[in-house]
Amino acid sequence: MTTSAQGSSTEQQVHVVLVPGFWLGAWAWDDVVPHLEAAGLAPHAVTLPGLDDVATDRSRLTREDHVQAVRDVIAPLVGDVVLVGHSGGGPVIHEVVDRDPARIRRTVHVDTGPLVDGASLSPDLPAGTVEVPLPSWDELAAAGSSLDGIDEAGLARFRARAVPHPGGVAGGRVHVSDPARLDVPATVICTSLPSEVLKQMAHPGPPLHTELGELDVTYVDLPTGHWPMFSRPADLADEIVRAARA
């Protein structure tokens, strides 16, 4: 697990912890981080366990390993903490909130949302799956993960740097139990799914099994594909700044 951060910590400092989704490391936020720094925030881009290198052993990694990795980033920070989770990182940051709700000022879900207790991101993944490689572009599009806005160079970089996601994390079940987690306000940045559609699906049942309907949520539309850190990084950063200052 690695982080990147700039600026000193003070009691007034706002720390923004950036948690990427499947197949991504801290590098996914490279075009977002400078904008956050320019706005006076302290960004900490996270590479979760198992996502550092294709050669890493992912056979024993669990969701709790990812949750603890984010908690380890937060632990030494002094000041307010805003958690940003993209895609598969959204349920991770929700579990982090559950472990210590009072420590988090706000969550920002980027084309994602918090899952209910017992839900899984990949419930159909065969038991014992060690890792989930990055699918083909056609497979991603067919699954609803739009690549809109990413040019050929961006796609090539994505493919070259992507690392298989740990199977135990992808198929593992979310564990949340502290009712206080629902008191932490959230911003949802809707990129591939419009907010009006998401609002109609913000309940615990299928297909999303989300807890959005239980939270104090601000919805923001940023039309693009599923990876706005690649397709609209400056605009994504602007929305994160607004959320962090809310």
Side-chain angles (χ1 to χ4, degrees):
M1 183 271 297
T2 60
T3 66
S4 63
Q6 295 290 330
S8 59
S9 295
T10 68
E11 291 184 357
Q12 292 75 38
Q13 183 68 71
V14 177
H15 298 275
V16 180
V17 178
L18 303 160
V19 182
F22 280 26
W23 312 298
L24 306 175
W27 60 269
W29 303 99
D30 283 354
D31 292 336
V32 174
V33 164
H35 298 283
L36 301 181
E37 292 173 338
L41 303 177
H44 306 259
V46 180
T47 295
L48 294 168
L51 278 300
D52 55 328
D53 191 276
V54 294
T56 297
D57 180 8
R58 284 171 277 276
S59 62
R60 297 184 180 182
L61 290 173
T62 67
R63 293 197 61 81
E64 193 58 35
D65 291 319
H66 279 197
V67 172
Q68 188 58 50
V70 179
R71 295 189 69 194
D72 289 343
V73 173
I74 295 170
L77 303 181
V78 178
D80 288 339
V81 173
V82 174
L83 288 180
V84 179
H86 165 255
S87 191
V92 172
I93 67 170
H94 192 53
E95 288 182 272
V96 173
V97 171
D98 180 75
R99 306 305 189 267
D100 190 3
R103 185 67 184 94
I104 309 303
R105 171 175 168 176
R106 176 176 287 270
T107 60
V108 180
H109 295 268
V110 181
D111 218 36
T112 186
L115 294 184
V116 298
D117 184 64
S120 170
L121 280 168
S122 303
D124 298 326
L125 196 67
T129 299
V130 173
E131 59 186 31
V132 181
L134 176 65
S136 70
W137 301 140
D138 288 343
E139 289 172 327
L140 284 173
S145 296
S146 168
L147 294 159
D148 288 355
I150 309 178
D151 60 21
E152 289 300 320
L155 290 175
R157 177 172 176 259
F158 186 177
R159 179 67 62 180
R161 301 199 66 174
V163 172
H165 209 75
V169 178
R173 297 189 180 278
V174 168
H175 295 294
V176 290
S177 60
D178 190 339
R181 72 186 183 280
L182 304 176
D183 296 331
V184 178
T187 295
V188 178
I189 301 176
C190 306
T191 63
S192 66
L193 191 67
S195 61
E196 287 306 314
V197 174
L198 187 58
K199 289 176 185 177
Q200 298 173 19
M201 305 167 76
H203 55 78
L208 298 184
H209 300 282
T210 177
E211 290 197 327
L212 283 176
E214 305 297 320
L215 302 175
D216 175 11
V217 181
T218 299
Y219 291 92
V220 176
D221 282 296
L222 185 66
T224 186
H226 184 57
W227 288 274
M229 65 277 287
F230 300 149
S231 59
R232 297 183 64 178
D235 295 329
L236 175 60
D238 286 345
E239 296 302 341
I240 293 173
V241 170
R242 290 189 182 94
R245 291 175 173 167

